[in-house]
Amino acid sequence: MLAKRTPLNPPHSKLSSLSSYTFLSQSSTQINLPPDAHLKFLCLNGRLKEALIEMSILGTDVRFRGYDALITECVNRKALREGQLVHSHMIKTHYRAPVYLDTRLLIMYDKCGKLDDAREVFDGMPQRNIVSWTAMISAYSQRGFQSLAFGLFRWMLRTGLFPNEFTLATVLACCIGHLGLEHGRQVHSLAIKNNYNSHVYVGSSLLNMYAKASEIHDARMVFEFLTVRDVVSCTSIISGYAQLNLDNEALEMFRKLYNQGMECNYVTFASLLTSLAGLSALEYGKQVHGLVIRLQLPFYIVLQNSMIYMYAKCGSLLYARRVFDYMPERTVISWNAMLLGYGDHGLGREVLCLFKSMRDVKSDAVTYTAVLSGCSHGGLTEEGLGVFYSMVGDKEMEPEIGHYACVVDLLGRAGRIEKALEFIRNMPFEPSIAMWGSLLGACRVHGNVSAGEYVAQKLLSMEPKNAGNYVILSNIYADAGRWEDVVKVREMMKENTVIKEPGKSSINLNKTVHTFRSGDRSHPQKDKVNEKVRELYEKIREVGYTPDLSCVLHDVDDEQKERILLGHSEKLAIAFGLMFSSQGGILRVTKNLRICVDCHNFAKLVSKVTKRELSVRDSKRFHLMANGTCSCGDFW
DNA sequence: GTAGGGTTAG
């Protein structure tokens, strides 16, 4: 109970020679405190000025400890004003600070958010050591000034100073992305030369640097060579996979390390949940949620955000919303994750309602992307356009190319294709692949052949190898009965040696992910599954299904085309789900590409004849199919 | 005294 103690003032003449002060506690018990502790006590109680008066009469050696104690307090409490007072006191009293104290001042300014003042201290230092350099490099790096940080590091090397493990870990963290990779490799060889390579801080910084530059094999190599692994290095490799969408690898890595007894914290789970979202692995997601509760991890916003995203991506909007509603505090990312979830499901009204209720946080570029694409997926054209023009009017948020792409999508979906083309002509960006791609889809839905040809020409010149674009153009010609042109599309495809990304669909049953590929011949149950597809095919033919042969661009007869269509991965996954799931529940299928028209028709009618709800998540959005109709309104 | 991993889109 130091708070109410009053220091006894010993005669000043004795101060400098004293190594401790005597205090009287409330209960009159005498205790001794060293002078730096006393100063700290004054500082803690808002009596900094008294502390500084006492400082003026202390001997040099004691003043060093006193200043150190005061600056430490200021750093801990991020007390800039007090820190500035201590600094000016040092100047006014002509105190010659050793390199240690100057470094502490530099750190104080940095921690109080005063980067320029930190640099001023750094520049004014008569001497600098490795700690001063590292602290300054770290200050720049942590505020995102990567090139300034790296420049300082190079300057340090030129002075002949050698980096320690702190410097290396810091500087590697600012070698981010492809541009940083070259620098990062040089720092890596420096680390090898100095035997810091397997240091756990340097190592995790290093493997993170490689992963962020998409060099995941190098990242893994660094991880394998670590002699000591801790929660950060383990999380780094998992999140490395997760950030590159290598979701299976992330999950496998987590499982392996978890079984080896790795320590997990909220960052580990946040990264893992991103991958589980990618895998639509709802059951695993729930298990992680349960584990987080069992471990009694506190409400870290980052983790809750990841949880919202996972539930939404796994089709459980109710759970996503529950997590969102229970959050004691939210960031813009929490709102964005929820908005994106509603948008993915085509719930435009919910998107707008949530957007209007945003409080305490400022919307960012992602918020607007989520709202605009949500309006588009929900068919709310005018509302979406209103949001876009409010952005244009609001000077604080300059629309980016992605926002313009959303508007093209909005107009296209509403059938206002000429308007969309005009919008593209007048916008301040070069049109992107995404814009032409969404317009081509609009031309198909609205049967606009001439615009479709124009758009396809633009798109194919930018992206000649993407098979999906040819398929949609073929659909457009087929719908118009222009069969000769369908043949031409097929020939164009051959000329361009198009590489078709293999279609893949998966379904989660009994806590196992079952994945099917187009024309799958390797699945152990393939015969039964094919039989089931055939059975469904016969049933839906009775309610009006005809196969859309324009979805097949192989040069084969119609019978063969039908066979190819029936082998599409989502049909296999749906059939498998119907065979092995319990009656009544919703079937959730995830596909890596955009669903084709034929599979879309197939799934809608299957939902009708089997009276089962189907959820197909493709690369664009969710399609919720029930009783023969789809939540996308046949537009995607 | 100085250090490493993280959540939302595309």
Side-chain angles (χ1 to χ4, degrees), chain A residues 330-348:
Chain A
R330 305 185 186 100
T331 61
V332 68
I333 295 180
S334 330
W335 291 89
N336 292 350
M338 200 61 236
L339 288 166
L340 288 162
Y342 282 135
D344 266 0
H345 285 79
L347 300 172

Side-chain angles (χ1 to χ4, degrees), chain A residues 336-408:
Chain A
N336 292 350
M338 200 61 236
L339 288 166
L340 288 162
Y342 282 135
D344 266 0
H345 285 79
L347 300 172
R349 291 279 163 216
E350 280 77 357
V351 169
L352 283 176
C353 184
L354 195 69
F355 178 54
K356 281 180 190 145
S357 70
M358 272 179 87
R359 281 182 309 272
D360 306 327
V361 292
K362 208 175 156 325
S363 353
D364 64 6
V366 181
T367 316
Y368 280 99
T369 307
V371 175
L372 292 171
S373 78
C375 286
S376 183
H377 287 163
L380 304 176
T381 314
E382 291 311 320
E383 291 85 345
L385 291 175
V387 171
F388 179 78
Y389 287 109
S390 76
M391 270 182 95
V392 177
D394 178 5
K395 294 275 183 298
E396 281 186 42
M397 180 66 68
E398 185 89 6
E400 297 167 5
I401 186 163
H403 302 123
Y404 279 84
C406 289
V407 173
V408 171

Side-chain angles (χ1 to χ4, degrees), chain A residues 118-338:
Chain A
R119 180 60 193 254
E120 214 177 299
V121 173
F122 179 81
D123 286 338
M125 285 171 78
Q127 275 183 318
R128 303 182 191 107
N129 63 16
I130 190 66
V131 181
S132 351
W133 283 95
T134 308
M136 198 63 234
I137 294 168
S138 167
Y140 280 127
S141 170
Q142 286 184 358
R143 279 179 177 68
F145 299 111
Q146 266 82 18
S147 53
L148 279 174
F150 200 82
L152 212 59
F153 174 66
R154 280 216 279 235
W155 178 18
M156 185 199 89
L157 291 180
R158 281 200 301 274
T159 67
L161 255 177
F162 242 79
N164 63 13
E165 63 271 37
F166 288 79
T167 329
L168 290 172
T170 308
V171 85
L172 282 166
C174 62
C175 299
I176 291 303
H178 295 281
L179 282 174
L181 183 62
E182 193 53 38
H183 289 151
R185 287 195 194 280
Q186 290 169 13
V187 181
H188 190 178
S189 37
L190 210 61
I192 294 171
K193 237 190 265 172
N194 292 285
N195 236 358
Y196 286 128
N197 197 37
S198 63
H199 185 280
V200 70
Y201 277 61
V202 179
S204 46
S205 201
L206 197 52
L207 81 87
N208 197 44
M209 183 272 292
Y210 281 124
K212 289 229 166 69
S214 306
E215 301 284 339
I216 194 68
H217 293 295
D218 287 343
R220 178 65 182 265
M221 199 94 88
V222 173
F223 183 73
E224 295 300 333
F225 275 104
L226 285 177
T227 45
V228 177
R229 289 173 182 172
D230 66 1
V231 60
V232 176
S233 50
C234 290
T235 302
S236 295
I237 191 69
I238 293 166
S239 83
Y241 283 120
Q243 282 165 9
L244 294 171
N245 298 322
L246 297 167
D247 300 321
N248 274 314
E249 287 82 352
L251 177 58
E252 277 316 304
M253 196 67 195
F254 171 77
R255 272 188 175 144
K256 190 173 137 191
L257 296 172
Y258 188 76
N259 289 333
Q260 289 171 6
M262 80 173 276
E263 190 196 331
C264 300
N265 65 14
Y266 74 105
V267 183
T268 324
F269 290 126
S271 305
L272 177 63
L273 284 167
T274 306
S275 280
L276 296 179
L279 293 168
S280 293
L282 180 62
E283 286 307 317
Y284 287 134
K286 283 182 179 170
Q287 283 181 35
V288 169
H289 196 167
L291 193 57
V292 164
I293 291 169
R294 270 208 306 284
L295 293 174
Q296 296 184 308
L297 289 186
F299 271 96
Y300 286 113
I301 299 181
V302 167
L303 180 54
Q304 309 297 319
N305 292 346
S306 209
M307 203 81 86
I308 294 170
Y309 179 69
M310 180 278 294
Y311 277 126
K313 279 282 173 200
C314 292
S316 274
L317 277 179
L318 281 176
Y319 280 160
R321 184 62 196 245
R322 204 174 294 168
V323 175
F324 180 83
D325 284 340
Y326 275 101
M327 287 175 82
E329 248 188 297
R330 305 185 186 100
T331 61
V332 68
I333 295 180
S334 330
W335 291 89
N336 292 350
M338 200 61 236

Side-chain angles (χ1 to χ4, degrees), chain A residues 103-115:
Chain A
T103 308
R104 299 288 292 144
L105 275 175
L106 183 167
I107 292 164
M108 183 275 295
Y109 280 120
D110 171 37
K111 300 285 185 238
C112 293
K114 289 282 179 185
L115 187 59

